[in-house]
Amino acid sequence: MFIRSIRVKNLILVAGAALLGLALGIGVLFLGAKAAQSGGEPSPPESALPPESQGSQQTMGTDVPEDGEKVVYLTFDDGPSVVTGEILDVLKEKGVPATFFVIGATTERGKVLYQRILDEGHALGIHSYSHRYQEIYESADAYLADFDRLANHLESIVGVKPNIFRFPGGSKNKFAAPEVLEEIKKEMEKRGCVWFDWNALAKDDKSQATPAQEMFDNVVSSAGDQEKILILLHDDALRTTAAECVSMLIDHYQGLGYRFEALTAETNPIHLK
């Protein structure tokens, strides 16, 4: 009697296992049929995808800020130079984008730096190929010829023709006649190119390097408490303190709740008055 009881229990267990296996098999067949109908395995929910798969990626720091947001734009004129790499190193370490208004570099180092600027998520803008004020501001045609020369030069190296630019000396300067500047601006508007001046500056355009602390103080003093701060710094061989100042500025403005952006043609431009 005892042995018969054990046999009955074993039969029940075997039958139960068989039924479980049958249920699992039916479930697998059902899922396989659904996958076949959709052309492959079922897609995971969007929340389960890695971040780079959730929608389109955006280039670092090129969101268009909304009113009320506190934003800083770091911009550098006159590069690339021997100090550009140091500036890029600081920006990379801090995870901050910037904009470089460049001149015509023909050295291999300069060409590599053009590409590095883009590769690391920064914006590339036109400044001047020659940076010779008396020549480029002789007439609107002279300026446009210099502009086009640099645009074509950059396209041949990095495959990009920038549509943002900064006038050497700013959009109001003593080197160009007002009518020449107006003619240039009208032509640039037709082309869809956007120019940017600044509303804060480091005053680092002297014949020798300006101490980083002095540059920092000049920027903070000229910027005040504006919500949108567009900082002018320089990137040439004499600006050996630029990278240090950039690090100080990033820490300062991030501590005040600002975020950093690169300029684009969609950015609301700041012009000299």
Side-chain angles (χ1 to χ4, degrees), residues 14 37 45 100 131 153 179 196-197 208 213 252:
V14 170
Q37 289 175 359
F100 291 80
H131 209 251
H153 180 63
E179 59 270 22
F196 293 88
D197 290 314
Q208 59 185 9
Q213 184 64 53
H252 174 73

Side-chain angles (χ1 to χ4, degrees), residues 92-158:
K92 187 175 184 179
E93 177 188 348
K94 302 283 189 180
V96 162
T99 303
F100 291 80
F101 292 106
V102 298
I103 62 173
T106 56
T107 65
E108 192 59 34
R109 181 191 65 220
K111 294 175 182 180
V112 168
L113 286 168
Y114 284 151
Q115 190 64 58
R116 184 180 169 190
I117 288 168
L118 290 177
D119 288 347
E120 296 187 3
H122 307 294
L124 197 63
I126 300 280
H127 195 40
S128 168
Y129 188 93
S130 69
H131 209 251
R132 295 172 183 159
Y133 285 40
Q134 299 296 341
E135 292 181 12
I136 64 175
Y137 286 131
E138 184 178 359
S139 66
D141 287 343
Y143 178 90
L144 294 170
D146 179 88
F147 183 98
D148 291 340
R149 185 182 181 190
L150 179 53
N152 292 331
H153 180 63
L154 292 171
E155 185 179 35
S156 70
I157 296 168
V158 298

